[in-house]
Amino acid sequence: MELTMGSGLFRRKRNRHGKIKETNIEAKINLTHAAIDATYEIKGIDTEDQVMKDFLFTLGCFEGEKITLISALADNYIIHIKDARYSIDSQLASVIRIGNTE
Amino acid sequence: MRIALTGNPNSGKTTLFNVITGKVEHVGNWAGVTVDKKEGDVKGDWNKTGTKIRIVDLPGAYSMSPYSSEESITSNFVKNEQPDVIINIVDATNLSRSLLLTTQLLELGIPVVVALNKIDLLKNKGITINLKVLSKKLGCPVVETSSILKKGMVEIIDQAVKVSGKGQKAPFQSSILNNDELDKKAYEAKDKERFRFVDKLVKETEIREVESKKQTRQDAIDRIVANKILGIPIFAAVIYLVFSISQSWLGPLIADYFVGWIDKLYVFVDGIMGENISPLLSTLLLDGIIGGVGALIGFLPLIMVLFFQLALLEDSGYMARVAVVMDRYLKKVGLSGKSIIPMIIGTGCAIPGVMATRTIRDERQRRTTAMLTPFMPCGAKLPVIALFSGVFFENAAWVGTSMYFVGIGIIIGGALIVRRITKESSAKSYFIMELPEYRLPSIKRAYVSMMSRAKAFIIKAATIILVCNAAIQIMQTFNWNFQLVAEGMENTSILASLANPFAYLLLPLGFGVWQLAAAAITGFIAKENVVGTLAVVYGISNFIDTEELALVSGANDVASIMGLSSVAALAYLMFNLFTPPCFAAIGAMNAEMESRKWLWGGIAFQLSMGYVVSFIVYQVGTLITTGSFGNAFVPGLIAVAFIIGIIFYLMQRNNQEEYEALKELG
């Protein structure tokens, strides 16, 4: 019950969000859709978890910065930001919204 | 004067701290090894200035804004305690991220010296940094250092003393650093500007021949060792190899020489005491102290070989990949991916392992991890593993290896149970871990780490363990009337009568004799005690054979003295490994859990787990090997069913509450 309520909320939000940005199809692309070795511009971090958002910020992972996908392993993505490599899980990868490749 | 060491995680702060203070704090090639501040004085070799300098090593931080508790230690210290100078350690291979913190530190008004560390890696990576420009633009001295090669140490201290007492101008002034009231948006905008400032600075000072985002051989290695299918088997193979070397090949070889000396000491002491000394004193000294402590010290070489290898592994950068591999499984059972770090540290000692849980943000996950970390066999449990695999399993390396994996299995199962008993927090838990570069591990650093752990082991053996062994010896020599226990009347000793009630409880586990019960109980004081106590109560002076090159002398004799079947021995070993840890580790659990309820719940859970696992191993094992169940099957089954019943009740209760809450909601 709790779970379905949560996902319902989530869906509604996504729908609304989708409506606003209907014209811009790229807005929905997140890091899990990225191609290996391609460098993208970060368009936004879509999470309610402000602490994580702030933390990513200090690593240089925020809107306007560059991100490169090095490898995709099972549930983990190895990414490159500002000369460092990090392993993140698919949950975190899915909140990193990305734009055009270079 | 006082200097604070600050910098990003894994920039080499603690390595530098160890070099300039001569201390041996735990280091590893991954982020988050240091979780608490450490202090020490600069050694004379590096300090040519004549002033006494105190160094404070702080946990790594990416910025001055506190995002997790160990990062706030850093920002609180720097802001509140006003050190005379800040040495900011900057990873020279990652200026673009590291300088964010640098620009924040420069705003505090405290003089800063930048240590451009890991300078030895620049050439290989095709990076050149213009030091002069960097220093000028930052407005503070910049010194090239390599803490691994001990380069630049005198210079960095020298510079720190020179700038002390002077102010510090900031190249980038945000003017809002200490104003927490300011709204978030403005703050963020300022920090973005700060990043742009850093980007510009890097562009002006750094030339890279190869872009860091290019695929490297390291990335290829990552794809293999952190592979979905291969990750776990590779980890298992690594652990197996570590155990084979320490327990079957190199360890016994060294142990052999070592035990020869202990034997000589025994004979020597026996010789100088002569015939006239009281037999009581002579047994106390020979069997209680030299015998008990010696039996334990005999395992020292094994432990040293193992610690040496673990230090090599930590230095190589592989452990961060293990965390990545394990994240998938831990997340499924409601733990954080970060939970693996305390568990890896816990293989050395559960106390720093439990302390490392404070990097976990979610309270429930942190407490669960603190409760489960002690299930990883720690260094003190190694002699116990070595003893039993030697006596009952011909030194098979699989015994030690499988104990690690049983530990991991119990942690995963335990996490599932704890998740059901406690309410799972709804907060999403994301996993992010910096992947450090692999490097050839340093023999010298591993040696230093091994020696410091060996020293701690010897000190413990010569103090706590020695006192316990002496006490055990006295308690088994006397009865309650303080008369010597006659031969054949061992059951009347103080020790036997104290341990007997517990022995009854252990009957269904296959080892219900007072000697084994006593050893298990002294194990709560320190797990090494299990070996020492067994040596004392069974009158075995040393377990290691010096002639046969076997780890355990006359393994069959020892086995027959203890009167255990292999299956019961395995059950006893697991009981000692998977019941609550030593009191010191329980103290650490108490500190990190910050809840009596969790602490007692955790201890009860650990006790139940050890009991149930041993019961299953003994009874099922006996059924398989002999065709019928072992001793006291029925009472044991009732006890185990009772324990499982309580656990199920607790798990159900929560469901019930949820159900009722939902019904109210309609």
Side-chain angles (χ1 to χ4, degrees), chain B residues 220-237:
Chain B
I221 297 172
D222 279 345
R223 278 192 283 273
I224 298 166
V225 300
N227 184 276
K228 184 182 180 179
I229 301 155
L230 293 175
I232 296 270
I234 290 174
F235 180 47

Side-chain angles (χ1 to χ4, degrees), chain B residues 373-530:
Chain B
T373 293
F375 283 121
M376 280 313 276
C378 69
K381 290 171 179 171
L382 285 176
V384 190
I385 298 176
L387 171 65
F388 279 82
S389 60
V391 171
F392 296 95
F393 302 98
E394 295 165 342
N395 287 323
W398 67 261
V399 179
T401 311
S402 56
M403 286 309 123
Y404 276 77
F405 280 87
V406 170
I408 293 172
I410 290 179
I411 286 168
I412 289 176
L416 267 176
I417 294 169
V418 174
R419 180 170 68 166
R420 292 296 298 274
I421 292 178
T422 61
K423 274 220 172 85
E424 187 171 10
S425 22
S426 52
K428 270 197 179 174
S429 128
Y430 296 118
F431 177 68
I432 177 161
M433 174 128 197
E434 184 171 357
L435 291 181
E437 296 223 1
Y438 292 102
R439 65 175 180 219
L440 203 65
S442 146
I443 303 281
K444 203 178 156 206
R445 270 196 306 280
Y447 173 80
V448 170
S449 155
M450 171 186 83
M451 291 313 277
S452 101
R453 285 169 150 183
K455 195 174 138 198
F457 181 88
I458 293 172
I459 290 172
K460 204 168 163 193
T463 51
I464 302 172
I465 312 289
L466 186 140
V467 170
C468 288
N469 280 330
I472 291 286
Q473 178 70 33
I474 291 167
M475 288 197 319
Q476 82 163 357
T477 312
F478 291 102
N479 61 22
W480 286 103
N481 300 322
F482 292 101
Q483 288 164 328
L484 285 177
V485 171
E487 211 160 310
M489 296 290 283
E490 282 85 2
N491 286 340
T492 60
S493 72
I494 298 177
L495 184 68
S497 61
L498 284 178
N500 245 327
F502 295 99
Y504 282 111
L505 292 174
L506 302 178
L507 264 180
L509 313 184
F511 42 85
V513 288
W514 65 265
Q515 290 93 336
L516 293 171
I521 294 166
T522 57
F524 291 117
I525 298 168
K527 289 291 168 184
E528 296 95 331
N529 257 331
V530 175

Side-chain angles (χ1 to χ4, degrees), chain B residues 287-315:
Chain B
D287 299 332
I289 294 176
I290 299 181
V293 174
L296 179 65
I297 292 279
F299 290 102
L300 181 63
L302 253 89
I303 291 169
M304 285 170 73
V305 173
L306 189 102
F307 278 155
F308 183 76
Q309 296 180 84
L310 288 179
L312 288 181
L313 273 182
E314 283 196 51
D315 205 15

